Each structure stands twice: as structure tokens, then as C-alpha cells.
Amino acid sequence: MRDVTLPGLDVRTSCLGFGCASLGSRISRAQGLRALARAHDGGVRWFDVAPAYGAGMAEPILGDFLKGRRDSLQICTKVGLLPPPQGAAKRLARSLLRPVVAAAGPLRAAIRKSGVTGNKGVPLTPDLLRSSLERSLQRLGTDHVDVYALHNADPADLERDDILRTLEDLVAAGKTRGLGVAGDADAARAALARGAPFDVVQLAQPTGATPAALPQAATDAGLGCVTHTVFGVGDQFADLDRRLRAAPDALERLHAAGYEGPSGTAAAALLLARAFACNPQGVVLASMFSERSLAGNLAQAAAAPDPAAVSLYRDIIE
């Protein structure tokens, strides 16, 4: 596993991070615990979670996994989103339907579009910042996290004195070692312009002509950068897969570059390689609940970032 040092935190961690958004919802507790252990055994040290993830179940499941392992890894949790209400009946129904939904891609997409599983944004207040972190620490079974991030951050909140003072107090109290901003490109730019007290920016894998510009700007500003959604922004994966299936010569070009397998496998490998190349000094988050996806991710995380992946992807898409 290639290691990186996040400059804002001065923490040495794995370049590959585990995204826990589906832990407890699409992925059961037992499946999740096995996947977390496999990833940790493979060298993954960065685990990203939030109170809203997994319909509210991701933090407690991750907390079970942390027992006996806390000192060997880093945790980022967040504040600003809450899961939809989940009564006992809804939790039971989710558990019973999980295998059906997991096997039916169109059904899963329809459920997402319906808004039933949508997380709810909540206004940030000093009381919320303190209480949300306390509840997260209880669910995680730890006395601190490594990064506490503003989830879907509004750039205006980064200038509020009451928010900034409260965040600084949480660091001083040892509840979190660092502070982050998790949001869109505008939120990331606002955090870079603000600087202290923020240490880390987290955003979806950038698209466009200069996908490495924001991660590099974070490094230049002395902040760590974490990127996520490397396969899904703007249907990147589906679009690339379609193009590869329609153009055998493009797939052959990927095979020649070392991206093996059918179009879907090669497309996923190229997108992950592109993410590592765009954020070579930061952490790239991925979902690694299957053994096959974990093996592929670990193989790429052990290699040096390949800048050619950026131009290769661009050439095929354009």
C-alpha cells in the first residue's frame, strides 16, 4: 500500500480510503464487518463515515470494527446531514429487501430517485456541532476522530465566527485532531481561501479539462485532499463502459496499457487510476465491499500514480 502524508494533519495514512456510505443500508452488518477487516488487513488505514450513512447504521457498525484496532487507523466523520427517519418497521423491511435491491440495479436506482432514502440537510449551529460529534464518538466507541468535517458545506458557513470558534474548541478539547470541509468544488475553494482552522478538503473526483487542479491547489495551500465518487460523477463509469463496448479499438488500447478484463472491469480500473493520478498526495475513497473490488483497488494503491491515465481517459471520452 502506498502511503501519503496529508499536509494539513501531518498524518501518514493509506492513499486508499474506505467509503462507508452503504454500510448498514445496502450492505448488511455482517457483510460490512468482513469487508472492513479485509481492507484493514490489506493496508487500508483511512475510513470515511458520517451520521447519515447507512441509514444511520454506518457509525455503530464501524464502531464494532474499531474495537482493538483504533490506534492503527484514521477516521473522518461529519456533521450537517441526517438520515431519513428509520423506525423499527422500516429497519426490518430494509433488512428483508436488501438482497432483492442489491440484485436489481434498476430498482435500486428507482428507490434513490424516489427520495425515500434521501438524507436531510440541517442548519449548522454551535450546539449541533458539539452534540453531533458527541453522538458520533459514542456510536464509534472512541474518544476522538481524526477529522470532523462540515458535510455538504455551505461556503458562507466557513466565515461564521460562531462555527469557527466551536470547531476550534472541539480540537482544543481533543475530540477531533483536525477539521475538514466536505462538499462541492465551491466549498473546497472557500476552504482553501480560508485556510485555518481547516486541515482537509473532501470532494467528488473533479471532472473537466483540469481534474487535478483542485487537489493540487489543496496541497499547495497546505491542506490534505480526499476525493470520492471516482466512478459515479456524471455517469462517468456508464459512459466510459458504453464507449468501450462500442469501440473495440479503445478497449484494446486499455488492455495494452495494462487495464485488463471486459469493458466494465477495464473502465473501473481506469477511473480509479485516474483518481490516484489526479490526487497523488491525498486519499482516494472507494467502496470495497466485494473481495474482487478490494483486490483490484489494493493492486492499484500499491503502484505509483500514473499520470498517463488522465490523458488516456480524456482521449477515449473525447
Side-chain angles (χ1 to χ4, degrees):
M1 174 69 69
R2 182 171 58 87
D3 285 345
V4 294
T5 299
L6 295 181
L9 298 173
D10 196 26
V11 164
R12 194 77 176 164
T13 190
S14 57
C15 68
L16 177 65
F18 199 118
C20 298
S22 300
L23 182 60
S25 52
R26 184 173 62 84
I27 303 298
S28 72
R29 179 182 182 278
Q31 290 174 307
L33 289 173
R34 288 193 296 269
L36 292 167
R38 286 194 300 263
H40 186 258
D41 290 344
V44 175
R45 294 294 178 265
W46 188 273
F47 292 82
D48 180 85
V49 72
Y53 288 171
M57 294 304 299
E59 284 186 328
I61 295 173
L62 182 60
D64 288 342
F65 160 75
L66 292 177
K67 294 172 182 175
R69 298 183 174 99
R70 179 63 186 95
D71 292 340
S72 66
L73 51 81
Q74 292 81 40
I75 307 165
C76 171
T77 195
K78 310 179 188 75
V79 59
L81 290 183
L82 294 176
Q86 294 288 323
K90 284 188 178 181
R91 286 195 295 270
L92 176 60
R94 180 185 293 276
S95 177
L96 294 174
L97 290 172
R98 185 179 290 120
V100 177
V101 175
L107 176 60
R108 188 164 62 244
I111 291 174
R112 281 199 302 267
K113 288 182 180 179
S114 73
V116 172
T117 59
N119 298 322
K120 310 299 181 184
V122 289
L124 296 183
T125 67
D127 285 344
L128 176 67
L129 295 178
R130 289 188 288 264
S131 63
S132 181
L133 182 54
E134 287 295 341
R135 289 193 294 268
S136 288
L137 295 178
Q138 291 171 9
R139 289 188 288 261
L140 291 165
T142 184
D143 62 357
H144 74 282
V145 293
D146 297 275
V147 175
Y148 188 43
L150 305 183
H151 209 171
N152 280 17
D154 183 335
D157 286 334
L158 276 57
E159 299 300 326
R160 288 174 51 188
D161 288 340
D162 59 337
I163 297 298
L164 298 175
R165 285 197 303 270
T166 302
L167 291 173
E168 291 169 339
D169 288 345
L170 292 172
V171 174
K175 304 291 185 179
T176 180
R177 291 178 174 171
L179 301 169
V181 172
D184 59 16
D186 288 340
R189 293 188 188 97
L192 298 185
R194 174 78 206 185
F198 299 107
D199 307 289
V200 175
V201 294
Q202 180 172 319
L203 69 158
Q205 166 59 39
T207 58
T210 56
L214 265 176
Q216 184 59 54
T219 300
D220 293 344
L223 275 69
C225 184
V226 178
T227 49
H228 61 85
T229 321
V230 300
F231 306 126
V233 173
D235 294 324
Q236 285 183 49
F237 172 78
D239 189 24
L240 180 57
D241 185 31
R242 282 193 299 268
R243 290 172 184 262
L244 293 176
R245 285 188 280 110
D249 58 327
L251 183 57
E252 290 176 5
R253 185 178 176 188
L254 277 194
H255 289 166
Y259 301 99
E260 303 291 344
S263 60
T265 302
L270 177 60
L271 287 171
L272 183 60
R274 176 175 176 265
F276 281 130
C278 290
N279 188 18
Q281 299 178 72
V283 175
V284 173
L285 297 180
S287 174
M288 297 174 275
F289 291 107
S290 77
E291 293 188 50
R292 185 175 70 174
S293 65
L294 173 63
N297 293 348
L298 290 178
Q300 290 215 37
D306 181 12
V310 179
S311 56
L312 180 57
Y313 170 80
R314 184 178 61 244
D315 291 347
I316 292 173
I317 288 297
E318 295 178 352

